[in-house]
Amino acid sequence: MPITKKYLALIVIIIPIILLSVFFLYRKDRHLIIFFSGAGMKVPVSEIVKDFTDQTGIKVDVHFEGSAILVQHIKTYGDADLFMSGDKKNMDILIKDGFVKENTFIAWHIPSILIPPENKGRIKGLNDLAGKGVRFVMSNPVQASLGRLVNDMLLRHPKGKDILNNVAVYGSDSQDDLRLFWDLYGKGRVDAVIEWDVMTHVPEGERLLIIPFEKEYEIKDPLLLALLKTSKNPKISKRFYDYFKTEGIKIFKKHGYNTEASK
């Protein structure tokens, strides 16, 4: 019997949750901070974690995965101290269900079309992604917050269905999106990738140009950090949380993120 898209979507969510669960089941060292972060923020978060550990000696065990998967793990097992979501919706789920002790704004997440310079004249906006023969990469709407946000927006777009029909492949996270894009672009099979605009600041995306969505379809989602009530080490977790709110935001800004809460 063929596997339907519905069952594939469930598999995409369930397998990472099982792997995380096995890790925590056999983990012996409880004297460290467990930090769950959406995969799209890997570069600045990794730098923040390293700097914090270098300055304090406190270890932070950070796990990068799609925000929806991390939320399901927190709700099921509750074995995390802090959570950083790639979108507000997943944070709202944990707040509503009583898992969040406090949370704070870090930066804005803004999806855009990223293209190599040679496609500048061919792709100037969302309408061009609906064109015949145009193919692009985007994140999986089930697994990644970026994919869900973009998919929801495209369902409102007059040419949304045509645009979605031109998706060549879905990536699991930002790094996977860029990896897939360059692999397929080298084979002449894709023309663009929909990603966070700040991905042009990482080595894999620095050659790409940013094509913003048209104003009426612009997505600007707050990136939030939460201190969880499930924390097994609340004192050192609060210390990391407070460090992230000050020094961490500076690192996000350095990596190209808009960190102005009022904008």
Side-chain angles (χ1 to χ4, degrees):
M1 186 174 72
I3 300 176
T4 66
K5 288 184 177 181
K6 179 179 179 181
Y7 287 114
L8 282 173
L10 288 173
I11 291 170
V12 163
I13 292 177
I14 290 171
I15 290 178
I17 291 176
I18 292 173
L19 293 175
L20 277 172
S21 303
V22 170
F23 171 83
F24 287 114
L25 181 64
Y26 291 99
R27 180 169 58 84
K28 296 179 180 180
D29 185 2
R30 305 292 296 185
H31 302 289
L32 52 75
I33 296 170
I34 303 300
F35 180 26
F36 282 2
S37 172
M41 295 83 75
K42 186 173 185 177
V43 172
V45 167
S46 296
E47 184 173 338
I48 293 165
V49 166
K50 182 182 183 302
D51 288 353
F52 177 77
T53 299
D54 288 346
Q55 292 181 34
T56 66
I58 300 172
K59 294 182 179 180
V60 181
D61 190 2
V62 58
H63 295 265
F64 296 104
E65 188 54 84
S67 295
I69 291 171
L70 295 176
V71 165
Q72 287 302 315
H73 182 92
I74 291 168
K75 290 179 67 175
T76 303
Y77 301 100
D79 201 348
D81 300 301
L82 297 105
F83 170 62
M84 190 170 192
S85 177
D87 70 338
K88 187 174 182 294
K89 182 176 180 180
N90 281 303
M91 185 65 74
D92 287 344
I93 291 172
L94 291 184
I95 292 173
K96 181 181 177 182
D97 291 345
F99 286 88
V100 176
K101 184 175 182 180
E102 57 180 295
N103 69 92
T104 187
F105 171 86
I106 299 297
W108 293 105
H109 246 168
I110 305 172
S112 299
I113 305 167
L114 306 185
I115 61 169
E118 48 269 36
N119 284 345
K120 188 175 181 180
R122 186 183 180 198
I123 299 175
K124 300 178 181 179
L126 288 168
N127 285 336
D128 295 323
L129 293 184
K132 185 177 180 180
V134 175
R135 304 288 281 170
F136 67 96
V137 177
M138 67 175 277
S139 290
N140 189 314
V142 175
Q143 192 170 6
S145 56
L146 170 63
R148 181 186 60 77
L149 288 168
V150 171
N151 189 75
D152 289 349
M153 177 275 291
L154 289 176
L155 293 178
R156 297 187 289 106
H157 192 282
K159 295 185 178 181
K161 291 184 178 179
D162 293 328
I163 294 173
L164 288 171
N165 284 336
N166 283 345
V167 175
V169 63
Y170 290 103
S172 59
D173 55 45
S174 293
Q175 282 70 38
D176 193 38
D177 290 347
L178 292 174
R179 180 188 63 78
L180 288 168
F181 169 76
W182 286 118
D183 179 55
L184 295 174
Y185 180 71
K187 300 174 183 177
R189 293 171 55 188
V190 295
D191 308 284
V193 55
I194 292 183
E195 254 302 332
W196 306 117
D197 59 352
V198 293
M199 287 299 107
T200 57
H201 290 264
V202 303
E204 298 87 349
E206 59 186 12
R207 283 184 50 211
L208 299 173
L209 303 177
I210 298 172
I211 306 296
F213 294 166
E214 289 80 353
K215 192 68 177 179
E216 60 268 39
Y217 300 107
E218 182 183 49
I219 301 170
K220 193 176 180 183
D221 210 46
L223 213 167
L224 304 171
L225 173 71
L227 182 63
L228 301 175
K229 294 179 181 178
T230 55
S231 175
K232 302 295 189 299
N233 297 292
K235 288 185 178 180
I236 60 172
S237 296
K238 181 64 163 63
R239 187 174 175 183
F240 178 62
Y241 177 81
D242 290 339
Y243 178 87
F244 209 114
K245 289 195 301 181
T246 54
E247 300 308 310
I249 285 181
K250 295 176 185 177
I251 290 174
F252 266 81
K253 187 174 183 178
K254 184 184 79 172
H255 285 282
Y257 285 79
N258 179 346
T259 58
E260 298 297 324
S262 61
K263 295 182 179 180

